Amino acid sequence: MLPKNHRLRLPQDFTATVRSGARTGRRNVVLYARVRINDPQGNNRFGFIVSKAVGNAVHRNLVKRRMRALAAQIPANANGLDFVFRALPGAAEIEWDELNQQVSSGLVSVVRKAGEKHEKGP
């Protein structure tokens, strides 16, 4: 489990990250990232969205556990970011290695896009 200070918990944090953050999609997951203006050097925070379209509760919880494990492996060199991982319906059917590859490649892209978006300003 991620520590409390590494989790997105408020609905407005999820909404701000999804609506105003950078976005990149992969076959089974969509990643959003946003640089926090009020805490740019704080911990990275992660949120997960896994809808009923992914499957029953067993499949949804499996996908959430896998995504939390992937989030825990992210190096702390990109501080002050909020991430939201949205699982798409095929996420429950793929193997760990494929999900890991999709999230890893998506993270590289979304972190770069979030930095560019932050530098441009509002």
Side-chain angles (χ1 to χ4, degrees), residues 2-18:
L2 291 169
K4 197 176 221 181
N5 61 343
H6 288 280
R7 285 184 270 163
L8 284 178
R9 294 177 297 138
L10 301 175
Q12 54 267 36
D13 291 336
F14 276 88
T15 302
T17 303
V18 170

Side-chain angles (χ1 to χ4, degrees), residues 98-119:
E98 189 176 348
L99 183 63
N100 186 7
Q101 187 273 331
Q102 289 182 22
V103 169
S104 297
S105 70
L107 279 171
V108 170
S109 176
V110 79
V111 167
R112 179 183 46 79
K113 287 179 182 180
E116 291 172 358
K117 196 169 192 172
H118 178 70
E119 289 173 1

